[in-house]
Amino acid sequence: MIRIFKNASAILFLIYSMMVFIAAMILVFPFILISSILFKEKQAQDIIFLFLKLWAWIFSILCFFPVRTRGYKHKNQDKAYIYVCNHNSYLDAITVVIGISGSVKPLGKIEMVKTPIFGMIYKRIVVLIDRKNKESRARSVEELKIDLARGQSILIFPEGTMNKTEADLSDFYDGAFRLAIETQTDIAPMAILNARNLLPRANPLSVKPGLITCIFDEPVSVAGLQAEDLEDLKAKVRKRMENLIKNSV
């Protein structure tokens, strides 16, 4: 009986959370659309991100997923970074929007454009990539380089997709680190804690409210690094992120 009650409560909470998620998105969508029409490039992203923060905060407060940030004092707000973050829950999108104080342009999978309502916003705020298409990968890299040159910070999940393993981090792709070296842009490691426990990808019915922590580490300088340094840079950043996760649990 207790198990049935817990499952029923989880289903109701999940439905409620989805309704808040969608309602908040509908609320901010007209403002995001207008901003994308009236403004261009980084100015548009800065304004759009303010409305995304409103959406994220509405969801966070009404669904009882408070987000706490730590370590952000290390960041230079006038400088573009390549943020790299672990990815193991649907709550990560909310967390990074709240956690990063300035605007950021994520690299995102093209498949998400098909999601009703969310897809219309998604394609206006991310650099789309089809990982199965070589030309798409090349275009996304060039677009990211242009954004960085304009002073726009970007966000890349180096695991490529949501972590399906039991490990804290799955294998990293090279893309974020190659881009950092080629553009000489420092990498800002960050980690999201407890999101997977609150909303596991494999078992959404285990959803429950709770605190999510977003932790930032000191930026990793890439000054003077070349292509042959890629593996060392990737290992260094991975170690930083592992330490953020292990030392903060």
Side-chain angles (χ1 to χ4, degrees):
M1 182 61 111
I2 294 177
R3 184 176 180 181
I4 294 174
F5 176 76
K6 286 184 176 179
N7 287 340
S9 298
I11 291 172
L12 290 174
F13 181 64
L14 192 60
I15 293 172
Y16 167 75
S17 299
M18 291 175 62
M19 291 174 63
V20 172
F21 184 95
I22 294 171
M25 191 156 287
I26 292 173
L27 174 68
V28 302
F29 177 68
F31 300 100
I32 290 176
L33 179 60
I34 293 170
S35 299
S36 66
I37 294 172
L38 295 181
F39 303 96
K40 301 298 180 184
E41 301 169 359
K42 188 177 186 302
Q43 186 181 22
Q45 192 72 9
D46 289 345
I47 296 172
I48 288 171
F49 214 73
L50 292 176
F51 292 112
L52 284 179
K53 283 186 178 294
L54 175 61
W55 160 71
W57 275 112
I58 290 172
F59 179 85
S60 171
I61 293 170
L62 295 184
C63 296
F64 313 104
F65 292 115
V67 176
R68 175 181 63 181
T69 60
R70 290 164 47 190
Y72 202 84
K73 59 179 179 288
H74 300 307
K75 299 295 175 289
N76 178 355
Q77 298 299 308
D78 297 323
K79 182 177 180 180
Y81 291 96
I82 297 176
Y83 288 91
V84 292
C85 184
N86 60 325
H87 188 23
N88 49 34
S89 173
Y90 293 111
L91 294 172
D92 293 344
I94 296 292
T95 307
V96 296
V97 170
I98 293 175
I100 299 175
S101 68
S103 72
V104 64
K105 198 165 191 180
L107 178 67
K109 297 185 295 184
I110 196 168
E111 293 86 351
M112 296 298 293
V113 173
K114 300 175 183 178
T115 307
I117 303 174
F118 179 74
M120 292 187 290
I121 295 178
Y122 185 81
K123 66 183 179 181
R124 286 173 167 81
I125 62 173
V126 308
V127 174
L128 296 172
I129 182 171
D130 180 355
R131 293 192 182 276
K132 299 177 183 178
N133 186 300
K134 185 177 180 180
E135 291 182 358
S136 174
R137 295 198 301 270
R139 282 196 305 270
S140 66
V141 169
E142 291 307 310
E143 187 173 343
L144 290 171
K145 287 181 177 180
I146 292 171
D147 284 325
L148 289 170
R150 291 170 176 159
Q152 174 65 64
S153 292
I154 64 173
L155 169 69
I156 297 178
F157 293 111
E159 296 163 291
T161 187
M162 209 175 293
N163 184 1
K164 302 178 182 67
T165 72
E166 294 299 320
D168 291 330
L169 296 170
S170 57
D171 293 337
F172 281 7
Y173 285 89
D174 292 344
F177 311 98
R178 181 178 292 112
L179 182 64
I181 292 173
E182 291 179 355
T183 61
Q184 289 294 283
T185 304
D186 291 348
I187 294 178
M190 57 186 290
I192 297 172
L193 306 181
N194 204 38
R196 176 158 56 177
N197 295 328
L198 300 178
L199 181 56
R201 180 186 185 277
N203 186 16
L205 289 183
S206 295
V207 63
K208 55 188 175 184
L211 176 67
I212 305 170
T213 302
C214 187
I215 309 178
F216 298 85
D217 199 358
E218 293 280 358
V220 177
S221 174
V222 299
L225 296 187
Q226 299 180 359
E228 55 267 28
D229 300 309
L230 188 149
E231 290 300 325
D232 288 340
L233 175 62
K234 183 165 66 171
K236 181 178 182 179
V237 173
R238 184 185 178 89
K239 186 65 176 177
R240 292 273 200 99
M241 292 172 67
E242 287 175 341
N243 288 339
L244 286 177
I245 296 169
K246 286 182 167 50
N247 296 334
S248 302
V249 173

